[in-house]
């Protein structure tokens, strides 16, 4: 279904009221092909939007937005230790996590309550509490927007990295994901190593899939603002990755700085901590501000424009750079 001149307010979790010239809601693979056969496919630029939980519009969008709405969750293969489950790109991510937990399939319970859709989970390689979805994605089914061919990307071909994949880089705007296949465990070995997660789970009793899910939801609700009440896009910045030497120098000067292992050669530094040290936590500039309970989150107090939010983020980047010599990178995608 093609809609002309639509407000984007309910298509971005900052709640910004920009407009798009066109929006196409796509419910099936055949609707992708219909779109590609139509004159609308010649309109550019083109943007694919999931739940809009990682986007910052700063202008009206003079182009076409595709909104994948493919639904359905099913078990594709039932093997002795695991299942391969698939979900349509438009399924809400947390509905899928809930389905997995209810059916006793483990792996993604730490990723409960993350906003977004199935399609975005693969584009973005979502992560939380010591887990990343890349470790559970078996393959991704997508259609080329150039020639309508279906392509299956295996896990390696997706080129997953920290909050990134091939779909955000080389193939950006070139494929539309229609379905994602996940490998879920029947006998889950839980990962409660992050922070005080284990303690939180034990408040509900035994360590079970549903207790882990509930604990994660409790922790997230305490720290992260609900976009239905306060516009935001989760973490605004990535945690910066620095080499080990830099992290040691930083640790020497600031013994409290939280750093985590990224890979053999590098460490991740807590961006929230860096921002907080610069005095930004809870600070507000007109209608945009840094969330009072978590300084990695920029919130819209109601009437901020995309440009206000972008400007605040630039000031934050500058002050972190001046104090620590580290340039924060935005995780949120700015749409010009
Ligand atoms: N911290 C501060 N000040 C704050 C908040 C946190 O100093 O205001 C410190 C904490 O004390 C802790 C460290 O920063 O030592 C890490 O904080 P937290 O556990 O909240 O995680 P994070 O690194 O800020 C990342 C993800 C989140 C994810 C959490 C939990 C990124 C960019 N963000 O945040 O993901 O939920 O870990 O695993 O990797 C998202 O991507 O949108 C997102 C919310």
């Amino acid at each position: 279904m093609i809609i002309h001149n639509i407000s984007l307010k309910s298509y971005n979790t900052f709640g910004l009221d920009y407009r798009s010239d066109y929006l196409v809601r796509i419910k099936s693979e055949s609707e992708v092909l219909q779109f590609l056969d139509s004159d609308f496919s010649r309109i550019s630029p083109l943007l694919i939007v999931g739940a809009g939980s990682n986007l910052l519009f700063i202008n009206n969008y003079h182009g076409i937005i595709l909104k994948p709405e493919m639904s359905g969750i099913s078990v594709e293969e039932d093997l002795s230790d695991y299942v391969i489950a698939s979900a349509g790109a438009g399924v809400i991510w947390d509905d899928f996590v809930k389905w997995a937990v209810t059916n006793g399939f483990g792996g993604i319970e730490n990723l409960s309550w993350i906003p977004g859709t199935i399609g975005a989970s693969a584009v973005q390689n979502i992560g939380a509490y010591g887990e990343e979805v890349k470790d559970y994605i078996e393959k991704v089914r997508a259609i080329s927007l150039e020639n309508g061919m279906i392509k299956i990307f295996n896990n390696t071909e997706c080129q997953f990295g920290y909050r990134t994949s091939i779909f955000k880089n080389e193939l950006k705007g070139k494929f539309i994901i229609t379905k994602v296949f996940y490998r879920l465990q029947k006998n889950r070995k839980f990962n409660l190593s992050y922070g005080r997660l284990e303690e939180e789970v034990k408040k509900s009793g035994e360590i079970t899939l549903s207790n882990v899910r509930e604990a994660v939801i409790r922790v997230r609700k305490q720290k992260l603002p609900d976009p239905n009440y306060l516009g935001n896009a989760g973490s605004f910045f990535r945690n910066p990755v620095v080499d080990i030497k830099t992290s040691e120098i930083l640790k020497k000067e600031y013994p409290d700085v939280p750093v985590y292992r990224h890979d053999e050669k590098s460490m991740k530094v807590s961006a929230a901590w860096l921002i907080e040290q610069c005095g930004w936590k809870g600070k507000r500039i007109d209608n945009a501000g840094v969330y009072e309970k978590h300084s990695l989150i920029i919130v819209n107090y109601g009437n901020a424009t995309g440009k206000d939010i972008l400007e605040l983020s630039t000031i934050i980047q500058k002050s972190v750079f001046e104090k620590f010599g580290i340039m924060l990178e935005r995780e949120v995608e700015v749409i010009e």
Side-chain angles (χ1 to χ4, degrees):
M1 189 186 34
I2 294 167
I3 309 170
H4 297 247
N5 186 22
I6 185 175
S7 163
L8 295 174
K9 198 170 163 73
S10 54
Y11 292 91
N12 74 97
T13 57
F14 274 116
L16 297 166
D17 198 6
Y18 292 108
R19 302 190 82 79
S20 172
D21 289 356
Y22 301 94
L23 181 123
V24 190
R25 296 167 64 177
I26 294 182
K27 294 200 165 12
S28 63
E29 290 190 345
S30 61
E31 286 190 10
V32 177
L33 301 178
Q34 275 171 34
F35 165 74
L36 292 177
D37 276 342
S38 74
D39 290 344
F40 290 101
S41 68
R42 285 193 277 277
I43 297 170
S44 80
L46 174 146
L47 176 71
I48 303 171
V49 165
S53 50
N54 206 45
L55 298 179
L56 176 63
F57 289 99
I58 55 170
N59 277 311
N60 288 328
Y61 190 71
H62 296 299
I64 191 156
I65 292 183
L66 301 190
K67 171 100 177 89
E69 292 186 347
M70 298 82 171
S71 58
I73 299 177
S74 49
V75 173
E76 303 276 346
E77 280 178 70
D78 191 344
L79 299 142
S80 56
D81 296 332
Y82 59 88
V83 294
I84 304 292
S86 74
V91 170
I92 297 297
W93 167 257
D94 195 57
D95 289 346
F96 180 62
V97 179
K98 190 175 175 193
W99 172 88
V101 166
T102 307
N103 285 282
F105 305 140
I108 54 175
E109 61 283 351
N110 288 22
L111 307 180
S112 292
W113 212 247
I114 292 182
T117 57
I118 287 289
S121 76
V123 174
Q124 181 72 0
N125 182 23
I126 55 173
Y129 308 108
E131 292 284 349
E132 281 184 315
V133 78
K134 73 173 170 56
D135 295 325
Y136 301 93
I137 290 181
E138 180 74 7
K139 58 188 179 184
V140 171
R141 186 176 162 106
I143 299 183
S144 162
L145 292 172
E146 278 163 5
N147 59 23
M149 299 282 277
I150 289 177
K151 178 164 166 58
I152 308 285
F153 293 82
N154 67 28
N155 185 293
T156 314
E157 287 170 320
C158 293
Q159 297 181 16
F160 290 120
Y162 171 43
R163 293 295 191 282
T164 193
S165 73
I166 194 164
F167 306 107
K168 261 184 116 167
N169 295 299
E170 223 175 300
L171 298 185
K172 191 170 165 45
K174 296 204 164 76
F175 278 85
I176 181 164
I177 294 174
T178 58
K179 213 182 222 192
V180 182
F181 296 74
Y182 302 85
R183 177 183 290 254
L184 302 175
Q185 304 159 0
K186 288 190 179 170
N187 297 300
R188 174 66 171 151
K189 284 193 200 75
F190 293 98
N191 176 0
L192 305 178
S193 55
Y194 191 94
R196 291 178 19 237
L197 188 56
E198 184 160 359
E199 217 175 283
E200 190 62 39
V201 176
K202 286 183 174 158
K203 284 186 194 163
S204 313
E206 270 176 73
I207 298 172
T208 62
L209 285 175
S210 58
N211 283 346
V212 174
R213 173 171 163 78
E214 275 165 27
V216 168
I217 292 177
R218 276 200 303 275
V219 174
R220 289 190 81 84
K221 282 187 171 171
Q222 276 160 23
K223 285 210 274 191
L224 309 175
D226 179 346
N228 291 317
Y229 301 101
L230 198 56
N232 77 92
S235 299
F236 196 94
F237 300 101
R238 290 195 177 93
N239 286 323
V241 174
V242 301
D243 58 44
I244 292 181
K245 199 158 170 247
T246 309
S247 82
E248 281 168 0
I249 295 169
L250 200 64
K251 196 89 196 160
K252 213 166 163 196
E253 201 172 339
Y254 303 97
D256 294 343
V257 59
V259 293
Y260 315 90
R261 165 92 34 207
H262 179 61
D263 56 27
E264 313 86 69
K265 292 193 201 119
S266 54
M267 306 291 278
K268 254 192 220 169
V269 182
S270 161
W273 187 90
L274 298 173
I275 296 168
E276 190 174 333
Q277 295 307 303
C278 294
W280 282 105
K281 195 168 188 170
K283 263 212 180 141
R284 179 173 173 166
I285 298 184
D286 298 327
N287 290 305
V290 174
Y291 189 50
E292 58 192 7
K293 295 188 198 150
H294 202 299
S295 50
L296 201 47
I297 298 167
I298 297 187
V299 294
N300 174 4
Y301 284 104
N303 294 310
T305 64
K307 288 191 178 111
D308 294 339
I309 292 169
L310 183 62
E311 216 172 280
L312 173 61
S313 77
T314 307
I315 302 173
I316 294 170
Q317 278 173 316
K318 201 163 163 259
S319 76
V320 168
F321 186 75
E322 277 165 8
K323 189 166 166 73
F324 296 103
I326 292 175
M327 191 63 192
L328 294 180
E329 271 177 48
R330 280 189 294 270
E331 182 191 316
V332 164
E333 193 184 343
V334 178
I335 311 296
E336 303 282 342

